Amino acid sequence: MADMLATAADLRALLEEDTTSLPDAKAELLLQLATGAVQAAARQQLVFVADDTVQLLGDTDAWFTLPQRPVTAVGTVKLDGNTVTDWKRFGARLWRRCGWATCPGEPSIVEATYSHGYQDTDPNLGLARSAVLAVAARMFANPVGATGMSIDDFSQQFGQAASSDLSGLVPANLAKSLRRAYGARAGYVRL
Protein backbone atom coordinates (compact mmCIF):
# COMPACT_ATOMS: atom_id res chain seq x y z
CA MET A 1 0.00 0.00 0.00
CA ALA A 2 3.10 2.20 -0.37
CA ASP A 3 1.62 5.27 -2.07
CA MET A 4 -2.01 4.19 -2.00
CA LEU A 5 -4.66 4.40 0.67
CA ALA A 6 -6.06 0.91 0.01
CA THR A 7 -4.91 -2.40 -1.45
CA ALA A 8 -5.98 -4.36 -4.50
CA ALA A 9 -7.31 -7.05 -2.14
CA ASP A 10 -9.45 -4.42 -0.36
CA LEU A 11 -10.96 -3.30 -3.66
CA ARG A 12 -11.61 -6.86 -4.86
CA ALA A 13 -13.30 -7.68 -1.53
CA LEU A 14 -15.53 -4.61 -1.79
CA LEU A 15 -16.52 -5.37 -5.37
CA GLU A 16 -16.74 -9.15 -4.80
CA GLU A 17 -14.46 -9.69 -7.79
CA ASP A 18 -11.61 -12.17 -8.23
CA THR A 19 -8.17 -11.73 -9.77
CA THR A 20 -9.53 -12.88 -13.14
CA SER A 21 -12.06 -10.07 -13.50
CA LEU A 22 -9.95 -7.51 -11.59
CA PRO A 23 -6.24 -8.28 -12.00
CA ASP A 24 -3.67 -6.63 -9.71
CA ALA A 25 -2.45 -4.21 -12.39
CA LYS A 26 -5.95 -2.85 -13.05
CA ALA A 27 -6.85 -2.69 -9.34
CA GLU A 28 -3.62 -0.86 -8.51
CA LEU A 29 -4.14 1.64 -11.33
CA LEU A 30 -7.68 2.36 -10.11
CA LEU A 31 -6.38 2.78 -6.54
CA GLN A 32 -3.55 5.09 -7.63
CA LEU A 33 -5.99 7.29 -9.53
CA ALA A 34 -8.47 7.26 -6.65
CA THR A 35 -5.76 8.01 -4.06
CA GLY A 36 -4.58 10.97 -6.15
CA ALA A 37 -8.13 12.28 -6.51
CA VAL A 38 -8.86 11.93 -2.78
CA GLN A 39 -5.59 13.62 -1.77
CA ALA A 40 -6.27 16.44 -4.24
CA ALA A 41 -9.79 16.85 -2.84
CA ALA A 42 -8.40 16.91 0.71
CA ARG A 43 -5.73 19.39 -0.42
CA GLN A 44 -3.23 17.32 1.56
CA GLN A 45 -0.81 14.53 0.77
CA LEU A 46 -2.21 12.05 3.28
CA VAL A 47 0.24 9.19 2.69
CA PHE A 48 3.34 9.49 4.91
CA VAL A 49 6.35 11.28 3.37
CA ALA A 50 9.70 11.33 5.17
CA ASP A 51 12.11 14.24 4.79
CA ASP A 52 10.07 16.29 2.32
CA THR A 53 11.68 19.63 1.47
CA VAL A 54 9.61 22.74 0.81
CA GLN A 55 10.66 26.28 -0.07
CA LEU A 56 8.21 29.03 0.80
CA LEU A 57 8.16 32.77 1.16
CA GLY A 58 9.05 34.00 4.63
CA ASP A 59 8.22 37.38 6.16
CA THR A 60 8.53 39.28 9.42
CA ASP A 61 5.71 37.33 11.08
CA ALA A 62 6.89 35.10 13.95
CA TRP A 63 4.76 32.17 12.71
CA PHE A 64 5.55 30.02 9.67
CA THR A 65 3.04 27.36 8.60
CA LEU A 66 4.18 24.17 6.91
CA PRO A 67 1.76 23.21 4.13
CA GLN A 68 1.23 19.47 4.73
CA ARG A 69 -0.36 17.88 7.81
CA PRO A 70 0.07 16.20 10.15
CA VAL A 71 3.68 17.20 10.70
CA THR A 72 5.47 14.36 12.47
CA ALA A 73 9.02 15.75 12.55
CA VAL A 74 10.97 18.79 11.41
CA GLY A 75 14.61 18.37 10.43
CA THR A 76 16.54 21.33 9.10
CA VAL A 77 15.17 24.81 8.58
CA LYS A 78 17.05 27.34 6.47
CA LEU A 79 16.42 31.06 6.08
CA ASP A 80 17.86 32.44 2.83
CA GLY A 81 20.24 29.46 2.68
CA ASN A 82 21.48 29.70 6.28
CA THR A 83 20.48 27.06 8.82
CA VAL A 84 18.47 28.44 11.75
CA THR A 85 17.83 26.59 15.00
CA ASP A 86 16.09 29.24 17.11
CA TRP A 87 12.56 28.06 16.31
CA LYS A 88 9.92 26.00 18.11
CA ARG A 89 7.38 23.69 16.53
CA PHE A 90 3.68 23.78 17.39
CA GLY A 91 1.88 21.21 15.25
CA ALA A 92 2.34 22.32 11.64
CA ARG A 93 3.59 25.78 12.61
CA LEU A 94 7.08 27.01 13.41
CA TRP A 95 7.59 29.97 15.72
CA ARG A 96 10.68 32.17 15.67
CA ARG A 97 11.03 35.30 17.78
CA CYS A 98 12.82 37.24 15.03
CA GLY A 99 10.34 36.27 12.32
CA TRP A 100 11.11 34.65 9.03
CA ALA A 101 12.83 37.46 7.12
CA THR A 102 16.55 38.23 7.03
CA CYS A 103 15.94 41.93 6.50
CA PRO A 104 12.78 43.58 7.92
CA GLY A 105 10.38 44.51 5.15
CA GLU A 106 12.08 42.26 2.61
CA PRO A 107 10.74 38.77 1.86
CA SER A 108 13.01 35.76 2.25
CA ILE A 109 13.07 32.09 1.32
CA VAL A 110 12.37 29.58 4.08
CA GLU A 111 13.41 26.01 3.31
CA ALA A 112 12.18 23.31 5.67
CA THR A 113 12.80 19.59 5.58
CA TYR A 114 10.06 17.77 7.44
CA SER A 115 8.07 14.53 7.61
CA HIS A 116 4.30 14.57 7.28
CA GLY A 117 1.26 12.44 6.59
CA TYR A 118 -0.18 9.29 8.10
CA GLN A 119 1.35 5.82 8.30
CA ASP A 120 -0.76 3.30 6.37
CA THR A 121 -1.91 1.62 9.61
CA ASP A 122 -3.11 4.87 11.21
CA PRO A 123 -6.83 4.67 12.10
CA ASN A 124 -7.18 8.38 11.24
CA LEU A 125 -7.06 7.35 7.57
CA GLY A 126 -10.46 5.63 7.78
CA LEU A 127 -12.40 8.33 5.93
CA ALA A 128 -9.73 8.69 3.24
CA ARG A 129 -9.46 4.92 2.79
CA SER A 130 -13.22 4.51 2.40
CA ALA A 131 -13.30 7.47 -0.02
CA VAL A 132 -10.54 5.89 -2.13
CA LEU A 133 -12.39 2.57 -2.26
CA ALA A 134 -15.65 4.32 -3.19
CA VAL A 135 -14.00 6.34 -5.97
CA ALA A 136 -12.11 3.29 -7.30
CA ALA A 137 -15.31 1.19 -7.24
CA ARG A 138 -17.14 3.91 -9.14
CA MET A 139 -14.36 4.04 -11.76
CA PHE A 140 -14.46 0.24 -12.09
CA ALA A 141 -18.25 0.21 -12.56
CA ASN A 142 -18.30 3.19 -14.94
CA PRO A 143 -14.83 3.58 -16.50
CA VAL A 144 -15.90 6.16 -19.10
CA GLY A 145 -17.83 8.32 -16.62
CA ALA A 146 -21.12 8.13 -18.51
CA THR A 147 -23.84 10.40 -17.14
CA GLY A 148 -26.62 9.23 -19.41
CA MET A 149 -27.57 7.22 -22.45
CA SER A 150 -30.01 7.38 -25.33
CA ILE A 151 -31.23 4.88 -27.87
CA ASP A 152 -33.52 6.16 -30.62
CA ASP A 153 -36.28 8.10 -28.83
CA PHE A 154 -35.44 6.68 -25.37
CA SER A 155 -33.17 8.76 -23.13
CA GLN A 156 -32.00 8.19 -19.57
CA GLN A 157 -29.94 10.45 -17.29
CA PHE A 158 -28.00 9.04 -14.38
CA GLY A 159 -27.90 10.98 -11.11
CA GLN A 160 -24.94 13.27 -10.66
CA ALA A 161 -23.96 15.78 -7.99
CA ALA A 162 -24.43 19.40 -9.02
CA SER A 163 -20.88 20.32 -8.07
CA SER A 164 -17.82 18.09 -7.85
CA ASP A 165 -14.03 18.15 -7.74
CA LEU A 166 -11.73 16.54 -10.29
CA SER A 167 -14.28 16.10 -13.07
CA GLY A 168 -16.70 14.16 -10.93
CA LEU A 169 -14.29 11.66 -9.37
CA VAL A 170 -14.83 12.99 -5.84
CA PRO A 171 -18.29 14.40 -5.10
CA ALA A 172 -18.31 17.90 -3.59
CA ASN A 173 -19.79 16.79 -0.25
CA LEU A 174 -17.09 14.11 0.14
CA ALA A 175 -14.35 16.59 -0.81
CA LYS A 176 -15.67 18.97 1.86
CA SER A 177 -15.60 16.18 4.46
CA LEU A 178 -12.03 15.28 3.46
CA ARG A 179 -10.87 18.90 3.80
CA ARG A 180 -12.61 19.15 7.17
CA ALA A 181 -11.00 15.92 8.42
CA TYR A 182 -7.48 16.40 7.06
CA GLY A 183 -6.99 20.08 6.24
CA ALA A 184 -5.85 23.04 8.33
CA ARG A 185 -7.78 23.62 11.51
CA ALA A 186 -8.19 27.14 12.84
CA GLY A 187 -7.10 27.45 16.45
CA TYR A 188 -6.10 23.80 16.74
CA VAL A 189 -2.56 22.76 17.64
CA ARG A 190 -1.46 19.14 17.26
CA LEU A 191 1.85 18.33 18.96
Side-chain angles (χ1 to χ4, degrees):
M1 203 161 70
D3 292 303
M4 295 182 286
L5 291 166
T7 66
D10 295 336
L11 183 58
R12 276 195 290 274
L14 174 70
L15 296 172
E16 297 178 346
E17 299 287 339
D18 60 17
T19 54
T20 305
S21 58
L22 184 56
D24 280 344
K26 184 174 184 177
E28 289 174 10
L29 177 60
L30 289 170
L31 291 168
Q32 286 174 355
L33 294 170
T35 296
V38 166
Q39 290 187 137
R43 298 181 184 153
Q44 291 290 310
Q45 188 171 356
L46 302 173
V47 178
F48 180 77
V49 177
D51 300 325
D52 192 10
T53 300
V54 64
Q55 287 187 343
L56 297 168
L57 186 65
D59 59 22
T60 56
D61 189 15
W63 292 98
F64 180 76
T65 304
L66 296 166
Q68 298 293 323
R69 290 166 186 76
V71 174
T72 56
V74 177
T76 58
V77 178
K78 295 181 180 180
L79 182 60
D80 288 335
N82 300 312
T83 302
V84 294
T85 58
D86 59 341
W87 51 268
K88 295 179 184 177
R89 179 170 79 92
F90 298 90
R93 299 174 73 197
L94 303 179
W95 178 85
R96 185 170 185 254
R97 181 184 310 274
C98 303
W100 296 96
T102 309
C103 176
E106 184 177 316
S108 60
I109 301 295
V110 177
E111 180 180 296
T113 301
Y114 69 113
S115 298
H116 57 83
Y118 297 92
Q119 296 291 340
D120 60 354
T121 57
D122 193 319
N124 289 318
L125 281 178
L127 173 63
R129 187 170 284 117
S130 63
V132 163
L133 287 169
V135 169
R138 207 164 111 201
M139 287 190 295
F140 177 76
N142 186 5
V144 296
T147 59
M149 67 177 196
S150 64
I151 299 172
D152 293 330
D153 62 344
F154 172 77
S155 174
Q156 181 179 10
Q157 284 298 116
F158 305 130
Q160 182 178 4
S163 171
S164 61
D165 287 342
L166 300 169
S167 303
L169 289 180
V170 180
N173 60 345
L174 179 55
K176 186 176 179 181
S177 295
L178 289 165
R179 283 191 296 275
R180 189 178 307 122
Y182 302 111
R185 293 168 177 89
Y188 181 74
V189 176
R190 182 182 299 183
L191 299 175

PDB file of all heavy atoms in Angstrom, residues 140-158:
ATOM      1  N   PHE A 140     -14.379   1.611 -11.566  1.00  0.00           N
ATOM      2  CA  PHE A 140     -14.463   0.236 -12.087  1.00  0.00           C
ATOM      3  C   PHE A 140     -15.828  -0.009 -12.731  1.00  0.00           C
ATOM      4  O   PHE A 140     -15.916  -0.583 -13.811  1.00  0.00           O
ATOM      5  CB  PHE A 140     -14.211  -0.776 -10.963  1.00  0.00           C
ATOM      6  CG  PHE A 140     -14.339  -2.205 -11.392  1.00  0.00           C
ATOM      7  CD1 PHE A 140     -13.339  -2.814 -12.137  1.00  0.00           C
ATOM      8  CD2 PHE A 140     -15.458  -2.956 -11.054  1.00  0.00           C
ATOM      9  CE1 PHE A 140     -13.453  -4.140 -12.543  1.00  0.00           C
ATOM     10  CE2 PHE A 140     -15.584  -4.277 -11.453  1.00  0.00           C
ATOM     11  CZ  PHE A 140     -14.576  -4.870 -12.202  1.00  0.00           C
ATOM     12  N   ALA A 141     -16.886   0.433 -12.077  1.00  0.00           N
ATOM     13  CA  ALA A 141     -18.247   0.206 -12.562  1.00  0.00           C
ATOM     14  C   ALA A 141     -18.578   1.061 -13.783  1.00  0.00           C
ATOM     15  O   ALA A 141     -19.369   0.655 -14.634  1.00  0.00           O
ATOM     16  CB  ALA A 141     -19.256   0.484 -11.449  1.00  0.00           C
ATOM     17  N   ASN A 142     -17.977   2.266 -13.868  1.00  0.00           N
ATOM     18  CA  ASN A 142     -18.303   3.195 -14.943  1.00  0.00           C
ATOM     19  C   ASN A 142     -17.001   3.838 -15.433  1.00  0.00           C
ATOM     20  O   ASN A 142     -16.740   5.010 -15.163  1.00  0.00           O
ATOM     21  CB  ASN A 142     -19.290   4.249 -14.422  1.00  0.00           C
ATOM     22  CG  ASN A 142     -19.788   5.174 -15.505  1.00  0.00           C
ATOM     23  OD1 ASN A 142     -19.485   5.008 -16.686  1.00  0.00           O
ATOM     24  ND2 ASN A 142     -20.545   6.184 -15.101  1.00  0.00           N
ATOM     25  N   PRO A 143     -16.151   3.074 -16.140  1.00  0.00           N
ATOM     26  CA  PRO A 143     -14.827   3.584 -16.504  1.00  0.00           C
ATOM     27  C   PRO A 143     -14.818   4.798 -17.423  1.00  0.00           C
ATOM     28  O   PRO A 143     -13.867   5.562 -17.420  1.00  0.00           O
ATOM     29  CB  PRO A 143     -14.149   2.382 -17.172  1.00  0.00           C
ATOM     30  CG  PRO A 143     -15.239   1.460 -17.546  1.00  0.00           C
ATOM     31  CD  PRO A 143     -16.386   1.729 -16.618  1.00  0.00           C
ATOM     32  N   VAL A 144     -15.871   5.004 -18.206  1.00  0.00           N
ATOM     33  CA  VAL A 144     -15.898   6.160 -19.101  1.00  0.00           C
ATOM     34  C   VAL A 144     -16.592   7.361 -18.480  1.00  0.00           C
ATOM     35  O   VAL A 144     -16.634   8.432 -19.076  1.00  0.00           O
ATOM     36  CB  VAL A 144     -16.546   5.815 -20.467  1.00  0.00           C
ATOM     37  CG1 VAL A 144     -15.716   4.795 -21.207  1.00  0.00           C
ATOM     38  CG2 VAL A 144     -17.970   5.349 -20.282  1.00  0.00           C
ATOM     39  N   GLY A 145     -17.171   7.200 -17.288  1.00  0.00           N
ATOM     40  CA  GLY A 145     -17.831   8.316 -16.618  1.00  0.00           C
ATOM     41  C   GLY A 145     -19.122   8.742 -17.278  1.00  0.00           C
ATOM     42  O   GLY A 145     -19.462   9.928 -17.286  1.00  0.00           O
ATOM     43  N   ALA A 146     -19.857   7.796 -17.830  1.00  0.00           N
ATOM     44  CA  ALA A 146     -21.117   8.125 -18.512  1.00  0.00           C
ATOM     45  C   ALA A 146     -22.116   8.735 -17.529  1.00  0.00           C
ATOM     46  O   ALA A 146     -22.241   8.294 -16.401  1.00  0.00           O
ATOM     47  CB  ALA A 146     -21.711   6.873 -19.137  1.00  0.00           C
ATOM     48  N   THR A 147     -22.807   9.764 -17.970  1.00  0.00           N
ATOM     49  CA  THR A 147     -23.837  10.403 -17.144  1.00  0.00           C
ATOM     50  C   THR A 147     -25.232  10.188 -17.700  1.00  0.00           C
ATOM     51  O   THR A 147     -26.200  10.655 -17.128  1.00  0.00           O
ATOM     52  CB  THR A 147     -23.576  11.919 -17.024  1.00  0.00           C
ATOM     53  OG1 THR A 147     -23.573  12.489 -18.330  1.00  0.00           O
ATOM     54  CG2 THR A 147     -22.263  12.198 -16.323  1.00  0.00           C
ATOM     55  N   GLY A 148     -25.318   9.507 -18.816  1.00  0.00           N
ATOM     56  CA  GLY A 148     -26.619   9.232 -19.413  1.00  0.00           C
ATOM     57  C   GLY A 148     -26.465   8.397 -20.661  1.00  0.00           C
ATOM     58  O   GLY A 148     -25.355   8.132 -21.116  1.00  0.00           O
ATOM     59  N   MET A 149     -27.594   7.981 -21.209  1.00  0.00           N
ATOM     60  CA  MET A 149     -27.570   7.222 -22.455  1.00  0.00           C
ATOM     61  C   MET A 149     -28.859   7.482 -23.217  1.00  0.00           C
ATOM     62  O   MET A 149     -29.872   7.866 -22.638  1.00  0.00           O
ATOM     63  CB  MET A 149     -27.407   5.729 -22.183  1.00  0.00           C
ATOM     64  CG  MET A 149     -28.565   5.073 -21.496  1.00  0.00           C
ATOM     65  SD  MET A 149     -28.245   3.322 -21.336  1.00  0.00           S
ATOM     66  CE  MET A 149     -29.888   2.753 -20.977  1.00  0.00           C
ATOM     67  N   SER A 150     -28.795   7.256 -24.524  1.00  0.00           N
ATOM     68  CA  SER A 150     -30.012   7.382 -25.327  1.00  0.00           C
ATOM     69  C   SER A 150     -29.946   6.404 -26.490  1.00  0.00           C
ATOM     70  O   SER A 150     -28.890   6.188 -27.080  1.00  0.00           O
ATOM     71  CB  SER A 150     -30.190   8.807 -25.832  1.00  0.00           C
ATOM     72  OG  SER A 150     -29.151   9.153 -26.701  1.00  0.00           O
ATOM     73  N   ILE A 151     -31.088   5.800 -26.747  1.00  0.00           N
ATOM     74  CA  ILE A 151     -31.230   4.879 -27.872  1.00  0.00           C
ATOM     75  C   ILE A 151     -32.513   5.285 -28.586  1.00  0.00           C
ATOM     76  O   ILE A 151     -33.590   5.296 -27.984  1.00  0.00           O
ATOM     77  CB  ILE A 151     -31.326   3.420 -27.395  1.00  0.00           C
ATOM     78  CG1 ILE A 151     -30.062   3.028 -26.636  1.00  0.00           C
ATOM     79  CG2 ILE A 151     -31.558   2.484 -28.583  1.00  0.00           C
ATOM     80  CD1 ILE A 151     -30.126   1.679 -25.959  1.00  0.00           C
ATOM     81  N   ASP A 152     -32.394   5.670 -29.834  1.00  0.00           N
ATOM     82  CA  ASP A 152     -33.525   6.164 -30.619  1.00  0.00           C
ATOM     83  C   ASP A 152     -34.262   7.269 -29.860  1.00  0.00           C
ATOM     84  O   ASP A 152     -33.677   8.284 -29.538  1.00  0.00           O
ATOM     85  CB  ASP A 152     -34.475   5.024 -31.020  1.00  0.00           C
ATOM     86  CG  ASP A 152     -33.822   4.054 -31.999  1.00  0.00           C
ATOM     87  OD1 ASP A 152     -32.954   4.506 -32.764  1.00  0.00           O
ATOM     88  OD2 ASP A 152     -34.174   2.864 -31.981  1.00  0.00           O
ATOM     89  N   ASP A 153     -35.531   7.049 -29.530  1.00  0.00           N
ATOM     90  CA  ASP A 153     -36.277   8.095 -28.830  1.00  0.00           C
ATOM     91  C   ASP A 153     -36.280   7.905 -27.310  1.00  0.00           C
ATOM     92  O   ASP A 153     -36.928   8.653 -26.589  1.00  0.00           O
ATOM     93  CB  ASP A 153     -37.709   8.176 -29.356  1.00  0.00           C
ATOM     94  CG  ASP A 153     -38.502   6.896 -29.122  1.00  0.00           C
ATOM     95  OD1 ASP A 153     -37.866   5.862 -28.827  1.00  0.00           O
ATOM     96  OD2 ASP A 153     -39.740   6.945 -29.244  1.00  0.00           O
ATOM     97  N   PHE A 154     -35.534   6.906 -26.811  1.00  0.00           N
ATOM     98  CA  PHE A 154     -35.437   6.677 -25.368  1.00  0.00           C
ATOM     99  C   PHE A 154     -34.172   7.348 -24.842  1.00  0.00           C
ATOM    100  O   PHE A 154     -33.096   7.223 -25.410  1.00  0.00           O
ATOM    101  CB  PHE A 154     -35.383   5.179 -25.055  1.00  0.00           C
ATOM    102  CG  PHE A 154     -35.092   4.869 -23.616  1.00  0.00           C
ATOM    103  CD1 PHE A 154     -36.074   4.995 -22.645  1.00  0.00           C
ATOM    104  CD2 PHE A 154     -33.814   4.488 -23.219  1.00  0.00           C
ATOM    105  CE1 PHE A 154     -35.804   4.724 -21.321  1.00  0.00           C
ATOM    106  CE2 PHE A 154     -33.539   4.213 -21.899  1.00  0.00           C
ATOM    107  CZ  PHE A 154     -34.534   4.329 -20.946  1.00  0.00           C
ATOM    108  N   SER A 155     -34.306   8.075 -23.741  1.00  0.00           N
ATOM    109  CA  SER A 155     -33.169   8.760 -23.135  1.00  0.00           C
ATOM    110  C   SER A 155     -33.225   8.578 -21.623  1.00  0.00           C
ATOM    111  O   SER A 155     -34.312   8.629 -21.031  1.00  0.00           O
ATOM    112  CB  SER A 155     -33.234  10.249 -23.472  1.00  0.00           C
ATOM    113  OG  SER A 155     -32.243  10.943 -22.792  1.00  0.00           O
ATOM    114  N   GLN A 156     -32.059   8.360 -21.019  1.00  0.00           N
ATOM    115  CA  GLN A 156     -32.005   8.189 -19.566  1.00  0.00           C
ATOM    116  C   GLN A 156     -30.795   8.943 -19.024  1.00  0.00           C
ATOM    117  O   GLN A 156     -29.697   8.824 -19.553  1.00  0.00           O
ATOM    118  CB  GLN A 156     -31.892   6.707 -19.202  1.00  0.00           C
ATOM    119  CG  GLN A 156     -31.866   6.456 -17.714  1.00  0.00           C
ATOM    120  CD  GLN A 156     -31.779   4.966 -17.388  1.00  0.00           C
ATOM    121  OE1 GLN A 156     -31.551   4.146 -18.251  1.00  0.00           O
ATOM    122  NE2 GLN A 156     -31.966   4.654 -16.127  1.00  0.00           N
ATOM    123  N   GLN A 157     -31.012   9.735 -17.976  1.00  0.00           N
ATOM    124  CA  GLN A 157     -29.939  10.451 -17.294  1.00  0.00           C
ATOM    125  C   GLN A 157     -29.664   9.770 -15.975  1.00  0.00           C
ATOM    126  O   GLN A 157     -30.582   9.406 -15.253  1.00  0.00           O
ATOM    127  CB  GLN A 157     -30.330  11.906 -17.031  1.00  0.00           C
ATOM    128  CG  GLN A 157     -30.282  12.806 -18.229  1.00  0.00           C
ATOM    129  CD  GLN A 157     -28.898  12.930 -18.813  1.00  0.00           C
ATOM    130  OE1 GLN A 157     -28.668  12.525 -19.926  1.00  0.00           O
ATOM    131  NE2 GLN A 157     -27.969  13.455 -18.056  1.00  0.00           N
ATOM    132  N   PHE A 158     -28.380   9.603 -15.663  1.00  0.00           N
ATOM    133  CA  PHE A 158     -27.996   9.037 -14.383  1.00  0.00           C
ATOM    134  C   PHE A 158     -27.805  10.182 -13.405  1.00  0.00           C
ATOM    135  O   PHE A 158     -27.395  11.283 -13.798  1.00  0.00           O
ATOM    136  CB  PHE A 158     -26.698   8.245 -14.494  1.00  0.00           C
ATOM    137  CG  PHE A 158     -26.751   7.163 -15.553  1.00  0.00           C
ATOM    138  CD1 PHE A 158     -25.760   7.063 -16.496  1.00  0.00           C
ATOM    139  CD2 PHE A 158     -27.801   6.264 -15.603  1.00  0.00           C
ATOM    140  CE1 PHE A 158     -25.790   6.079 -17.472  1.00  0.00           C
ATOM    141  CE2 PHE A 158     -27.851   5.268 -16.562  1.00  0.00           C
ATOM    142  CZ  PHE A 158     -26.840   5.183 -17.511  1.00  0.00           C
TER     143      PHE A 158
END
